[in-house]
């Protein structure tokens, strides 16, 4: 602890010291000298967290210690950290700090993801907003230079914010998914998988964004539910496009007067219809069930077959559906079964392709309108009706996703998926919580080949080369152009050939799926790989269990021959306090720094407007955000501090599907830390007064409450350890909150005030040592959640003289005994508060207690001074005779249990007497009676239920019976009391 002593006071120097430190300097009676420095009168997060390097590398075990390795799921370099990142960082930091305290050699590897599509989109938006330029205007080289500049700026900001969260990451091992080491690993992985025939190139149906002109992954597709006709903004169109309508269109049966009516929400794809399908068992079309039934395509002017397939839903529309295999996944499968041709309609830019007559060259939704006009003129429209549907939207470009046939690179996943599934079935891989196992199995059972190519400029360029020689074309994979040429010569000899690298880049998930081993130096056999691979745990959000976690398992097993980690901890998705997922579209996103530092509503809105100016928010998102902010934070966001944010995130069960974040809870935790701060301040003042240096704990010299709080400390440590072992962070956090708030501050610290005086100096010294011990050990454990305040307060507290062995101090009988006393004190305080008017200490209340139990009465007698302190009363009178107690007129009477009754006497002023309740009002005594009666009724109903005696254990039945009897006795005692007896 910093101490400052001046022989002569300098007010200016003192003022400067107060500004630049988090310490409070006390001028002792202006005598020209100062006492030792004590901490500030109140907890101030900004002062405590300023310039505190708690994020520095922890001192971990030696090379022979157990290892614990963890990887930070890399934040995207698309912007600033959000609360999801804060949750991940906090949970992982708590684990690393705890494992370090257990003596493990830890490695927590940080890094950032280049986020191919997301980063390219955000930089394109910014570029167009600020300079009215597209990436095509700049060219590939200059555009990539813009992105690298963006990465440097945002990467620096993200790293700073990660450090401000108090994380203890190993920054010496930091990676970026496009640095030289990761690029080398990506090339190596691709080549190895290609040579194993696990990577192949094919023209297949994939998700496509016409705005990005790129394939996108399933995670980048938002399925938006539309209930009836809805106008939607689509990039590239001035007017909104109407969705949620179904058109019934007639197909004429060839050489017949019959027609079959199909229903579609996408008339523009009619150009690509190659058949009409009905269910095999649909009686309505049974008479047409032969191989020669053909229908006339009204636009292409050719025949297409009527086919029968069991996959068709006879309840959908007319039971007849159009088959457009080049633009629909289900239709694609049907076409393969029936060996139908593929007719492509829409190109990569969303334009109708050539060879489609008057519709060629039209944007797809302009073609839709023209198609409806054409069909109307041909008298083929049989109706248009509202229809609920799901519209696939690209989360990056907000464009409507098309399903197009495009040449792409794929990874064969069947065998790898089977291996990943079996690892969970055999118990080699543990998923926490285990309710996600069924999702794991379902996805892996239906795992289709993975499209890994993207038509972008930003990302890992695919290390595949096209080789052309005369009429032959071949693809090879190589780590460099030189290697590609050598391989080409082996295939084509020394003849002439042309070789060119694919211009596509790899899906971002490919490079990030290698991270458990590539971040440690793979494919080189580095010391890090040998020591820390496989990782002990993968901790991340459950929303990417398939897109990232499953693929890490698949590629890890394939490329390294072992699981990349043995446990998967999946945490909640952070939502706002109303349970809505945080997103820009809802305008409910909160930045961690807003919670840490606080922000006014005006500044919050100004930040949002700035994001809009940079092209990061659309006009609609800006409007929604401002409306949402005004409603949710009319007075802004109060300063809470990093520790309060971290503790709040850990206080909710993160194994739940979602976590509803409430800023008010965060602010309440800041007040909780002030409670610990004040307890430490009190302890330091007592320490200075009674000099407890070198004071060790000896049970023989401690009072009951001293031993009780140390027993509570021991139990809290046990609960904390068990909770951390099972990743129940909320139980671990709750254990320490209960200890500090309810046990130490509200009870034990208050009892020490009885003895903190010169005449009981020996007891005071013992209790001061106990306070120091509880604070030091408690803060040392709490530090895994709250590193800033723990580090600050521990710097002022001496380390315990001896190691605290919790098992030696736990005394459950003593805890049970003291709990009886605390229940009485709680009942008395509650009666004081519920009395009308409330009885405060200044009204000189005296507590009168009668106990039917000799043992309880002896306990109260021993602790009379503590009871007086804990009940904030001016005296306690104990009775051993019920008639003497009942005969005493009191301001209020009630019971604390079936064995204990109490009353209060006080001198109320005339004003307070006049404000006493009318006879019709319900007193606190009556409220308590009703509560006890309700509790008794519920318990009686429970034991009366059918099957109770059959399924409830004998021990449980015995406890319930005892509880019922005690409640009945307590209610009977309360009924005997004269509730309205006033002195």
């Amino acid at each position: 602890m910093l101490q400052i002593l001046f022989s002569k006071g300098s007010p200016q120097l003192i003022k400067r010291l107060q500004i630049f430190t988090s310490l409070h300097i006390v001028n002792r009676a202006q005598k020209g000298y100062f006492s030792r420095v004590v901490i500030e009168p109140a907890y101030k997060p900004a002062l405590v967290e300023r310039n505190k390097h708690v994020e520095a590398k922890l001192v971990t075990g030696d090379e022979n210690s157990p290892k614990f390795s963890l990887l930070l799921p890399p934040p995207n370099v698309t912007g600033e950290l959000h609360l999801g990142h804060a949750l991940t960082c906090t949970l992982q930091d708590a684990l690393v700090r705890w494992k370090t305290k257990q003596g493990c050699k830890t490695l927590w590897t940080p890094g950032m993801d280049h986020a191919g599509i997301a980063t390219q989109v955000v930089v394109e938006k910014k570029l167009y907003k600020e300079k009215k330029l597209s990436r095509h205007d700049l060219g590939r080289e200059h555009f990539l230079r813009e992105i690298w500049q963006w990465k440097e700026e945002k990467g620096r900001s993200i790293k700073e914010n990660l450090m401000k969260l108090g994380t203890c990451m190993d920054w010496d091992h930091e990676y970026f998914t496009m640095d030289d080491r990761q690029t080398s690993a990506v090339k190596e992985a691709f080549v190895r998988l290609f040579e194993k025939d696990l990577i192949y190139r094919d023209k297949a149906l994939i998700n496509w964004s016409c705005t990005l002109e790129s394939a996108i992954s399933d995670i980048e597709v938002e399925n938006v539910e539309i209930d009836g006709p809805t106008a939607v903004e689509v990039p590239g169109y001035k007017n909104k496009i109407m969705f949620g309508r179904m058109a019934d269109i007639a197909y004429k049966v060839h050489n017949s007067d019959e027609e079959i009516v199909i229903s579609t929400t996408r008339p523009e794809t009619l150009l690509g219809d190659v058949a009409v399908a009905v269910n095999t068992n649909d009686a309505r079309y049974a008479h047409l069930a032969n191989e020669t039934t053909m229908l006339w395509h009204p636009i292409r002017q050719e025949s297409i077959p009527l086919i029968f397939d069991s996959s068709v839903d006879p309840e959908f529309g007319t039971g007849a559906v159009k088959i457009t295999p080049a633009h629909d996944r289900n239709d694609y499968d049907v076409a393969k079964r029936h060996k139908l041709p593929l007719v492509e309609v829409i190109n990569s830019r969303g334009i109708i392709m050539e060879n489609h007559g008057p519709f060629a060259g039209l944007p797809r939704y302009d073609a839709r309108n023209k198609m409806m006009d054409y069909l109307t003129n041909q008298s083929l429209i049989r109706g248009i009706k509202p229809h609920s549907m799901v519209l696939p939207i690209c989360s990056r470009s907000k464009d409507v996703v098309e399903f197009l046939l495009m040449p792409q690179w794929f990874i064969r996943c069947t065998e790898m998926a089977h291996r990943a599934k079996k690892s969970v079935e055999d118990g080699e891989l543990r998923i926490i919580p285990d309710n996600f196992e069924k999702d794991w199995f379902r996805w892996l059972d239906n795992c289709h080949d993975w499209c890994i190519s993207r038509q972008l400029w930003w990302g890992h360029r695919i290390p595949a080369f096209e080789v052309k020689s005369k009429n032959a074309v071949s693809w090879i994979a190589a780590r460099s152009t030189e290697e590609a040429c050598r391989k080409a010569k082996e295939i084509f000899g020394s003849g002439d050939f042309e070789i060119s690298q694919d211009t596509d880049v790899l899906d971002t998930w490919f490079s990030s799926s290698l991270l458990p081993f590539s971040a440690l130096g793979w494919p080189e056999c580095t010391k890090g790989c040998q020591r820390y691979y496989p990782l002990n745990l993968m901790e991340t959000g459950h929303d990417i269990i398939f897109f990232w976690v499953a693929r890490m398992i698949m590629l890890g097993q394939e490329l390294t021959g072992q699981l990349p980690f043995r446990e998967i901890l999946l945490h909640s998705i952070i939502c706002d306090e109303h349970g809505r997922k945080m997103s820009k579209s809802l305008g409910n996103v909160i930045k961690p720094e807003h919670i840490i530092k606080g922000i006014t509503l005006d500044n919050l809105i100004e930040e949002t407007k700035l994001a809009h100016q940079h092209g990061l928010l659309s006009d609609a998102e800006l409007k929604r955000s401002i409306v949402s902010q005004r409603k949710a934070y009319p007075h802004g966001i109060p300063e809470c501090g990093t520790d309060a944010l971290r503790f709040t995130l850990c206080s909710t069960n993160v194994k739940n599907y979602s976590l509803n974040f409430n800023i008010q809870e965060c602010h309440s935790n800041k007040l909780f830390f002030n409670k610990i701060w004040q307890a430490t301040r009190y302890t330091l003042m007592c320490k200075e007064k009674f000099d407890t240096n070198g004071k060790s704990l000896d049970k023989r010299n401690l009072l009951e409450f001293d031993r009780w709080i140390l027993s509570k400390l021991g139990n809290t440590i046990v609960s904390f350890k068990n909770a951390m072992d099972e990743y129940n962070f909320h139980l671990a956090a709750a254990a320490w909150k209960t200890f500090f708030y309810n046990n130490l501050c509200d009870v034990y610290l208050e009892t020490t005030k009885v003895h903190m005086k010169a005449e009981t100096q020996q007891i005071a010294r013992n209790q001061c040592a106990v306070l120091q011990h509880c604070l030091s050990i408690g803060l040392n454990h709490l530090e895994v959640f709250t590193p800033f305040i723990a580090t600050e307060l521990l710097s002022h507290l001496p380390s315990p003289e001896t190691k605290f062995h919790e098992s030696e101090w736990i005394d459950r009988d003593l805890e049970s005994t003291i709990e009886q006393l605390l229940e009485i004190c709680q009942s008395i305080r509650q009666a004081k508060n519920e009395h009308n008017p409330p009885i405060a200490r200044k009204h000189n209340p005296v507590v009168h207690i009668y106990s039917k139990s000799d043992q309880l009465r002896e306990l109260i007698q021993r602790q009379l001074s503590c009871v007086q302190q804990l009940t904030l009363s001016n005296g306690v009178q104990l009775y051993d005779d019920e008639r003497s107690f009942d005969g005493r007129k009191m301001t209020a009477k009630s019971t604390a249990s079936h064995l204990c009754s109490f009353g209060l006497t006080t001198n109320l002023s005339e004003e307070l007497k006049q404000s006493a309740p009318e006879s019709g009002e319900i007193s606190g005594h009556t409220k308590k009676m009703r509560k006890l009666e309700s509790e008794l009724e519920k318990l009686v109903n429970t034991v009366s239920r059918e099957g109770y005696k059959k399924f409830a254990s004998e021990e449980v039945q015995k406890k319930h019976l005892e509880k019922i009897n005690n409640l009945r006795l307590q209610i009977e005692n309360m009924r005997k009391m004269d509730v309205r007896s006033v002195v």
Side-chain angles (χ1 to χ4, degrees), residues 62-67 105 526-533:
D62 58 36
E63 291 301 321
N64 296 320
S65 302
K67 65 96 176 175
K105 179 76 173 175
T526 64
K527 190 175 181 181
C529 255
Q530 293 174 348
R531 173 65 169 155
Y532 294 107
Y533 187 80

Side-chain angles (χ1 to χ4, degrees), residues 6-7 102 211 215 221 233 292 306 335 366 497 509 618 691 831 852 884 903 911 943 949:
F6 292 100
S7 59
Q102 291 182 309
T211 298
V221 178
E233 287 186 3
T292 61
L306 174 69
D366 291 347
F497 57 82
W509 294 109
S618 67
D691 188 16
K852 295 181 180 180
S884 299
E911 181 183 355
V943 301
K949 290 187 177 181

Side-chain angles (χ1 to χ4, degrees), residues 406-582:
M406 303 290 285
Q408 302 289 324
W409 291 96
F410 294 86
I411 294 182
R412 303 183 199 277
C413 293
T414 304
E415 288 301 318
M416 289 191 289
H418 174 73
R419 200 158 51 218
K421 178 187 173 186
K422 194 171 185 299
S423 64
V424 173
E425 291 175 333
D426 294 347
E428 295 178 6
L429 179 64
R430 181 188 176 202
I431 298 176
I432 309 165
D434 60 9
N435 56 282
F436 284 107
E437 284 186 8
K438 61 180 183 295
D439 298 321
W440 180 266
F441 295 143
R442 183 175 64 250
W443 188 80
L444 291 174
D445 281 337
N446 299 286
C447 183
H448 53 76
D449 288 357
W450 173 16
C451 175
I452 58 171
S453 47
R454 299 291 181 265
Q455 291 62 50
L456 304 172
W457 289 359
W458 173 243
H460 291 282
R461 192 168 171 183
I462 293 178
F465 296 79
E466 185 181 41
V467 184
K468 295 180 180 179
S469 178
K470 296 181 181 178
N471 296 325
V473 177
S474 180
W475 284 93
I476 59 175
R479 299 163 185 83
S480 64
T481 303
E482 292 74 21
E483 182 184 353
C485 289
R486 288 197 302 271
K487 289 183 174 181
K489 288 180 180 179
E490 292 174 5
I491 297 172
F492 296 101
S494 57
D496 292 335
F497 57 82
E498 294 179 6
I499 187 167
S500 59
Q501 185 175 355
D502 197 330
T503 57
D504 288 354
V505 300
L506 284 164
D507 177 14
T508 305
W509 294 109
F510 183 85
S511 53
S512 60
S513 294
L514 308 176
L515 287 174
F517 43 97
S518 66
L520 294 174
W522 184 91
E524 300 298 324
C525 188
T526 64
K527 190 175 181 181
C529 255
Q530 293 174 348
R531 173 65 169 155
Y532 294 107
Y533 187 80
L535 308 177
N536 292 76
L537 174 74
M538 174 49 60
E539 190 282 328
T540 189
H542 66 71
D543 55 331
I544 53 175
I545 183 174
F546 312 125
F547 300 100
W548 191 39
V549 180
R551 287 165 176 170
M552 282 190 285
I553 294 293
M554 291 193 292
L555 293 187
Q557 288 181 307
E558 184 63 41
L559 294 170
T560 71
Q562 57 184 320
L563 288 167
F565 33 81
R566 298 287 178 177
E567 288 187 323
I568 303 166
L569 175 60
L570 301 170
H571 67 237
S572 313
I573 303 304
I574 290 198
C575 300
D576 64 17
E577 60 183 304
H578 304 294
R580 302 175 305 169
K581 187 175 179 179
M582 291 188 178

Side-chain angles (χ1 to χ4, degrees), residues 715-893:
N715 271 322
T716 302
I717 293 173
V718 171
S719 298
F720 171 80
K721 288 180 177 178
N722 291 338
M724 290 298 288
D725 287 345
E726 291 300 318
Y727 307 119
N728 290 321
F729 301 94
H730 63 301
L731 298 181
W736 286 114
K737 190 166 188 177
T738 298
F739 175 78
F740 278 113
Y741 222 134
N742 303 98
N743 303 146
L744 186 68
C745 296
D746 285 355
V747 177
Y748 180 71
L749 185 144
E750 291 299 318
T751 66
T752 65
K753 293 177 182 178
V754 173
H755 303 291
M756 288 297 172
K757 48 193 176 184
E759 51 267 37
T760 52
Q761 183 174 344
Q762 188 55 48
I763 295 176
R765 293 188 68 197
N766 286 337
Q767 292 191 330
C768 189
V770 170
L771 282 168
Q772 290 176 185
H773 209 77
C774 289
L775 284 167
S776 295
I777 292 174
L779 286 167
N780 186 270
H781 286 80
L782 192 66
E783 182 260 349
V784 304
F785 301 130
T786 59
F788 290 103
I789 189 173
T791 301
E792 173 68 21
L793 294 182
L794 284 170
S795 69
H796 300 286
L797 290 164
S799 300
E801 291 294 318
T802 55
K803 187 173 177 61
F804 185 81
H805 298 285
E806 52 268 20
S807 58
E808 297 177 7
W809 289 93
I810 294 176
D811 187 336
R812 300 194 184 280
D813 291 337
L814 173 62
E815 286 190 35
S816 179
T817 298
I818 295 297
E819 291 301 327
Q820 293 181 65
L821 195 70
L822 296 180
E823 284 179 14
I824 294 171
C825 294
Q826 172 64 23
S827 296
I828 294 170
R829 288 198 303 272
Q830 186 175 346
K832 287 171 61 181
N833 291 333
E834 290 181 347
H835 187 272
N836 196 345
I839 301 173
R841 188 167 191 165
K842 65 181 180 180
H843 299 137
N844 302 315
V846 175
V847 178
H848 304 264
I849 304 176
Y850 165 67
S851 173
K852 295 181 180 180
S853 164
D854 293 339
Q855 185 179 7
L856 180 58
R857 188 163 53 251
E858 290 172 6
L859 170 65
I860 299 170
Q861 184 65 55
R862 292 196 306 271
Q863 302 293 347
L864 276 181
S865 57
C866 289
V867 171
Q868 180 176 336
Q869 180 67 27
L870 293 173
T871 58
L872 297 176
S873 59
N874 288 307
V876 180
Q877 187 170 340
L878 189 60
Y879 295 79
D880 58 7
D881 178 57
E882 187 173 8
R883 286 182 298 177
S884 299
F885 174 78
D886 287 342
R888 181 69 186 263
K889 288 190 175 182
M890 302 180 193
T891 306
K893 271 186 181 180

Side-chain angles (χ1 to χ4, degrees), residues 70 112 135 175 323 464 468 536 568 586 594 694 727 945:
L70 199 62
M112 278 168 263
R135 75 176 191 269
Y175 66 85
I323 301 300
K468 295 180 180 179
N536 292 76
I568 303 166
L586 291 175
H594 291 162
Y727 307 119
R945 286 175 188 158

